[in-house]
Amino acid sequence: DQQVKQNSPSLSVQEGRISILNCDYTNSMFDYFLWYKKYPAEGPTFLISISSIKDKNEDGRFTVFLNKSAKHLSLHIVPSQPGDSAVYFCAASVAGGTSYGKLTFGQGTILTVHP
Amino acid sequence: EADIYQTPRYLVIGTGKKITLECSQTMGHDKMYWYQQDPGMELHLIHYSYGVNSTEKGDLSSESTVSRIRTEHFPLTLESARPSHTSQYLCASSELYEQYFGPGTRLTVT
């Protein structure tokens, strides 16, 4: 039972354009969401996060949008750069209780940004 | 920049050998985690710890064991490696929700 799903295995974008990566979740108890970037042979790097009390969080070229009613979040990268080419994972967590701090990850989306 | 270290980075070992994957962090985080990831797949939590002498099994069943004797150190041990254990093993630590990952150990069991 996959609670966090990234339905697009890959995305190809031209340099300078917007990249939009999508993520859906099924567990209504999730209330904190994160995006990670991963290069081959390296560990994931934290990018940006959002709490369920917000619907948008921005950090430089990266913006995360949360639609709680649709159980959907997205990561926007504007403008996209070739160095952004990596695998992007979304992750979700439940606040409090025995699951506090534990993350559930999606399968990842491979982003390729062409020069 | 988070300071979390894993050794070795790559390990090729024969079936039946005992191995220990090392993970250390210098941030003083109480929470530490071990994940297993196969290519093209999500990260699966196999062990976690919320502090010294506290360890729990994660969502994915694993034959490995862990210990947490010191805050900064969270080693993972496989008593008898098998080809099915071939995977990437990622260690992470956190204070709150954001987890910081080490570079990972790519394990191949022949």
Side-chain angles (χ1 to χ4, degrees), chain A residues 2 31-32 34 36 38 41-44 46 49 89 93-96 98-107, chain B residues 9-10 31 33 35 37 40-43 45 48 50 59 88 90 94-104:
Chain A
Q2 187 127 26
D31 59 2
Y32 199 85
L34 308 90
Y36 283 83
K38 186 179 184 297
E42 293 184 14
F46 169 71
S49 61
F89 291 95
S93 183
V94 176
T98 57
S99 295
Y100 172 57
K102 290 169 61 177
L103 298 180
T104 301
F105 283 84
Q107 313 96 301
Chain B
R9 292 291 311 274
Y10 302 92
K31 301 183 191 68
Y33 311 84
Y35 291 88
Q37 188 205 12
M41 303 293 289
E42 63 266 45
L43 282 69
L45 181 68
Y48 63 99
Y50 282 173
D59 304 319
Q88 184 178 37
L90 293 158
S94 71
E95 182 177 358
L96 295 173
Y97 290 104
E98 287 83 4
Q99 293 185 16
Y100 297 93
F101 284 82

Side-chain angles (χ1 to χ4, degrees), chain B residues 69-83:
Chain B
I69 299 171
R70 303 197 316 266
T71 298
E72 63 271 21
H73 195 213
F74 191 39
L76 180 146
T77 298
L78 273 168
E79 290 292 334
S80 180
R82 293 209 298 266

Side-chain angles (χ1 to χ4, degrees), chain B residues 46-66:
Chain B
I46 52 175
H47 298 283
Y48 63 99
S49 168
Y50 282 173
V52 171
N53 294 325
S54 153
T55 61
E56 299 286 345
K57 288 193 177 295
D59 304 319
L60 180 69
S61 175
S62 174
E63 294 167 346
S64 59
T65 59
V66 292

Side-chain angles (χ1 to χ4, degrees), chain A residues 33 82 106:
Chain A
F33 304 88

